[in-house]
Amino acid sequence: MTNAPVSASAKPSVFDPAALGPLRLPNRLVMAPLTRNRATADGVPTPLMVTYYAQRATAGLIIAEASTPNAVGQTYPNITAIHRPAHVAGWRAVTDAVRAAGGRMFLQLQHGGRVGHPDTSGLTPVAPSPVALPETLHTPAGMRQAPVPREMSLRDVRDHVADFATAARRALEAGFEGVEVHSANGHLLHQFLSRNTNRRTDAYGGPVVNRVRFVAEVVHAVAREIGPDRVGLRISPGNTVNSIEEGDTEEIYPALVAALAGSRIAYLHIGYADPDQPVFQRIRKDWPGTLIANPVLPQDRIPEDGGLAASDRLLAAGADLIALGRPFLANPDLVHRLRTGAPVNQVRDAYLMYVGGATGYTDYPALAARHPGIPTAPAAGEAAVER
């Protein structure tokens, strides 16, 4: 199946159905990948995560949180992984529950690169160049200064490409419909794109055609492994999180899009998308397939409309699907709330997003008229129902 941009009408709505590769989505609202540190120390999804994702199954598509394709790629404690049989089994429980509730899931594949610590993974982080993250990191032993990563050899590069492909195959074994390769937010693939973290002088460094090479090789390898219509790529042009400084944003992303334009992957996903920015407009012009856009919303609150106005602006600017993060976290029945104009829950405490447990995770209330497929939380942290 081809992956032409989704279109339904002159004025598309987030509530319109859409095609994405082999999938038929009931709406254009995508739950963005949100790392919430609820896995075991070994990266295995937990029963609490089963409840959390099944609660949000009315999203057109759920992109599950970042999972590492190998051990050295781990960023923080209690994040998920997809490189051992136990990971596959844990995720299978999640995807089975979401499918039973009528939903569909992709899994995001993320390698932290220099955003990692031996206290967390037991391994020295690897990166394009030996440039340390100038920040402290949360580890099981407390906050620690990020170490200088080991520069990846050409063999490391080849091995990591293979690890991403194997992880993608494991994701399908775990019941996911596809995977999203994470090349955003200052992690490994983004580090290859950015001048301040990639100081290589070989075929993977220097001019933009070289700095996009690793990302393109990973995406092509994953597409060969599981089929291009089951693969997405996330980028965040101009984003400086994790001390990234791209240096030439307006050049690097057109080059990356050109390297992938013939890949026929399912979608390109832009994080922190601004329809007024030239780089967004250029990507939309150049990208031949489906474009997912994640709008920039206030950090301190969810808009009263749940992000609907920002979503409509992106649709009008050419986005095909809209990814929302915190609105889905705080509102398991977000699609119903937006469709009916009901008030939305606010995130109660940002600290609770990362500390584990049901509080601030599965206990956000759903409306009494919610979709009947949305389960409540387990008894230990059971979700209230608004009446």
Side-chain angles (χ1 to χ4, degrees):
M1 175 176 287
T2 59
N3 286 300
V6 180
S7 61
S9 65
K11 293 183 178 180
S13 163
V14 293
F15 307 115
D16 291 337
L20 182 69
L23 300 179
R24 184 68 176 171
L25 310 184
N27 58 70
R28 301 182 185 215
L29 289 165
V30 176
M31 179 177 167
L34 299 167
T35 296
R36 290 297 173 256
N37 306 81
R38 259 67 176 191
T40 68
D42 295 330
V44 178
T46 58
L48 190 63
M49 293 174 60
V50 174
T51 298
Y52 169 75
Y53 281 111
Q55 287 176 335
R56 291 152 178 81
T58 53
L61 176 70
I62 295 173
I63 305 174
E65 62 203 79
S67 290
T68 57
N70 54 29
V72 75
Q74 185 176 2
T75 50
Y76 306 107
N78 302 107
I79 68 166
T80 60
I82 190 68
H83 55 85
R84 293 196 294 109
H87 302 144
V88 173
W91 274 123
R92 187 81 210 195
V94 174
T95 60
D96 283 350
V98 169
R99 187 169 288 108
R104 297 137 298 278
M105 295 186 79
F106 270 44
L107 178 66
Q108 187 183 75
L109 304 181
Q110 172 193 276
H111 189 299
R114 70 174 185 164
V115 186
H117 199 282
D119 285 357
T120 302
S121 68
L123 300 166
T124 299
V126 298
S129 301
V131 181
L133 177 75
E135 301 174 20
T136 57
L137 293 170
H138 180 64
T139 79
M143 298 302 293
R144 295 286 187 268
Q145 186 62 46
V148 176
R150 178 174 64 80
E151 180 172 302
M152 294 170 65
S153 66
L154 291 179
R155 179 173 180 175
D156 289 327
V157 170
R158 291 193 297 270
D159 288 347
H160 275 70
V161 170
D163 286 348
F164 271 93
T166 300
R169 175 167 43 81
R170 288 183 181 273
L172 263 60
E173 293 170 0
F176 288 97
E177 305 287 355
V179 301
E180 175 178 280
V181 175
H182 191 33
S183 183
N185 297 1
H187 296 294
L188 180 66
L189 275 67
H190 200 181
Q191 292 160 28
F192 269 89
L193 297 179
S194 303
R195 280 179 170 174
N196 74 319
T197 48
N198 184 348
R199 301 179 182 176
R200 302 174 73 97
T201 58
D202 62 8
Y204 294 91
V208 294
V209 67
N210 286 353
R211 281 185 282 131
V212 304
R213 191 184 308 276
F214 179 63
V215 179
E217 288 182 355
V218 169
V219 172
H220 287 302
V222 170
R224 286 193 299 270
E225 187 72 23
I226 64 172
D229 59 355
R230 296 186 181 276
V231 180
L233 175 68
R234 191 177 203 225
I235 57 175
S236 56
N239 187 6
T240 59
V241 69
N242 287 316
S243 298
I244 280 289
E245 297 175 11
E246 292 169 345
D248 49 7
T249 301
E250 302 292 338
E251 297 178 25
I252 197 76
Y253 288 98
L256 179 60
V257 168
L260 297 174
S263 65
R264 300 180 66 193
I265 62 172
Y267 66 79
L268 185 64
H269 179 182
I270 302 179
Y272 314 105
D274 183 343
D276 296 326
Q277 289 297 318
V279 68
F280 175 88
Q281 297 165 3
R282 175 68 185 273
I283 290 171
R284 175 65 285 183
K285 177 178 177 291
D286 292 351
W287 180 246
T290 296
L291 187 69
I292 301 178
N294 167 222
V296 180
L297 299 179
Q299 290 296 309
D300 60 340
R301 62 182 176 81
I302 298 171
E304 292 183 4
D305 68 353
L308 193 56
S311 300
D312 286 343
R313 285 190 66 225
L314 284 167
L315 288 176
D320 300 299
L321 304 171
I322 302 298
L324 296 173
R326 285 172 296 118
F328 268 111
L329 168 70
N331 298 275
D333 54 349
L334 180 66
V335 176
H336 175 71
R337 289 176 188 260
L338 297 187
R339 192 186 297 274
T340 60
V344 295
N345 299 323
Q346 293 293 324
V347 174
R348 291 196 299 272
D349 185 344
Y351 172 77
L352 296 173
M353 294 193 295
Y354 306 103
V355 297
T359 304
Y361 187 62
T362 56
D363 65 343
Y364 279 101
L367 294 169
R370 71 187 190 277
H371 187 285
I374 298 179
T376 58
E382 191 154 357
V385 177
E386 293 180 353
R387 300 189 183 279

